Amino acid sequence: MRTCDNALPDVVCVGETMAVLVPPDADPLERQRVLRLGVGGAESNVACGLAALGHRVAWVSRVGDDPLGRRVLAELRGRGVDVGGVATDPDRPTGVYFKDTGPAGTGTYYYRRGSAATRMGPDLATACRARVVHLSGITAALSDSCADLVTEIFVRRAVPGATVSFDVNHRPALWRHRDPATALLEPARHADIVFVGRDEAEALWGTARPKEIRDLLAPAPVVVVKDAEHGATAYTAAGEEVFVPTPDSRIVERVGAGDAFAAGYLAAHLEGRGTETALRLGHVMAAAALATGGDVPTAPDRARADRLLALDEQEWAALRLG
């Protein structure tokens, strides 16, 4: 495995990406005869979103030495993501998950236990240097060595000079044999930027209000609390509270919307834009994800995105996306 070379990436995203099998219509998975093959993973979704917005981004992980691992690498490379820091594991497979679409929403079935990515460990912390390093709570849940990797980056600060970004991304099914509340609280408190859903904070820590969540996660300098269709609130290092309502959006599928939001916010952060603009770009990217059945949406071109970001408050409140 080599490290990223040449120019320093804007962002390195670290985590598992799997092959995903998706039904072509809304019939239940058990009745499908043909499935579409794609790829998906929280951190690589963020990487793809950032690349689509024009940023230099790398994804670091492990995949199996198998056709699905090669598919993952080809897909991300094709989306403009540097995969030079990815290790190929000759002994463990690439993880797989299935989507089960239906009127009540999309269910997901994961087959990732013992995957190549579960062997990620603290050594990956120095695989790439970047301005921003982004991980999620999913990585912390995959294995003890993956949890050590999260600790290495957030608590021990193994990537000097980088802003470390953490999306709590609580997935209860991954934590059946461990307590997620403590495991996810530590990296969240040590992050420079932390993203958390209001609902997942309530489920994990019993904190239902954005200010309570901010207080709980102190001393994290920037806390972004997402509240689905209501809006997102950011608490800044300067003590500001900034709220931006969620624009009306067409919803095809919710999978990947939080990752797209993080990509939009981080892109604006890298560009030195203000907090309100960062939240707006997060919403724009999330709306693009909601409007598609894929994990990675087609990002709006920057000219259109900039027009949306420049709307006044009344125009933003009347906006419908997707």
Side-chain angles (χ1 to χ4, degrees):
M1 179 179 64
R2 68 174 177 81
T3 58
C4 293
D5 51 18
N6 301 324
L8 192 68
D10 292 328
V11 183
V12 167
C13 298
V14 185
E16 180 172 31
T17 294
M18 295 163 287
V20 54
L21 291 151
V22 185
D25 53 44
D27 278 349
L29 184 61
E30 64 195 64
R31 296 209 297 262
Q32 296 290 346
R33 292 183 176 275
V34 177
L35 298 173
R36 186 177 70 250
L37 178 63
V39 304
E43 295 84 1
S44 64
N45 292 347
V46 175
C48 290
L50 283 159
L53 290 170
H55 289 279
R56 179 178 168 87
V57 57
W59 173 66
V60 171
S61 187
R62 297 177 68 90
V63 297
D65 185 11
D66 51 37
L68 297 181
R70 291 188 284 277
R71 176 63 176 262
V72 167
L73 295 177
E75 181 86 11
L76 298 186
R77 194 182 295 115
R79 290 180 177 272
V81 177
D82 179 356
V83 295
V86 179
T88 299
D89 191 319
D91 302 315
R92 302 230 182 166
T94 303
V96 178
Y97 80 97
F98 293 78
K99 288 186 179 181
D100 188 10
T101 55
T106 300
T108 50
Y109 295 88
Y110 295 96
Y111 300 86
R112 68 201 311 175
R113 184 175 298 176
S115 70
T118 63
R119 296 183 68 180
M120 291 188 295
D123 60 299
L124 282 189
T126 55
C128 280
R129 295 181 300 113
R131 293 169 61 191
V132 175
V133 178
H134 178 78
L135 288 88
S136 85
I138 293 174
T139 300
L142 295 180
S143 66
D144 289 344
S145 64
C146 287
D148 289 341
L149 168 61
V150 173
T151 299
E152 186 76 4
I153 289 175
F154 288 95
V155 180
R156 300 192 186 106
R157 290 288 175 148
V159 187
T163 295
V164 289
S165 166
F166 184 69
D167 190 336
V168 171
N169 238 335
H170 179 220
R171 297 292 182 268
L174 296 175
W175 292 96
R176 289 173 181 165
H177 305 295
R178 287 188 290 166
D179 174 26
T182 301
L184 294 174
L185 185 59
E186 183 180 51
R189 283 176 167 169
H190 284 84
D192 297 311
I193 302 171
V194 57
F195 301 94
V196 61
R198 189 205 59 77
D199 56 344
E200 63 186 351
E202 184 173 11
L204 279 167
W205 306 306
T207 50
R209 297 178 182 177
K211 286 185 179 178
E212 293 175 348
I213 297 168
R214 185 273 315 272
D215 292 343
L216 175 73
L217 298 184
V222 177
V223 177
V224 180
V225 182
K226 302 169 292 180
D227 194 4
E229 70 274 11
H230 300 294
T233 305
Y235 296 92
T236 72
E240 299 174 302
E241 177 183 327
V242 182
F243 173 79
V244 173
T246 303
D248 190 16
S249 304
R250 174 172 175 260
I251 300 176
V252 173
E253 185 181 289
R254 297 185 182 275
V255 176
D259 306 325
F261 183 97
Y265 187 97
L266 291 174
H269 167 78
L270 288 162
E271 294 159 15
R273 303 194 184 208
T275 302
E276 181 177 2
T277 299
L279 292 173
R280 284 192 176 195
L281 188 53
H283 282 313
V284 169
M285 291 292 288
L290 290 169
T292 180
D295 283 25
V296 181
T298 299
D301 66 80
R302 290 311 299 260
R304 178 171 184 270
D306 286 341
R307 288 195 297 272
L308 296 175
L309 301 181
L311 296 176
D312 63 31
E313 289 187 8
Q314 186 174 4
E315 291 170 327
W316 179 266
L319 186 62
R320 177 172 175 78
L321 295 172

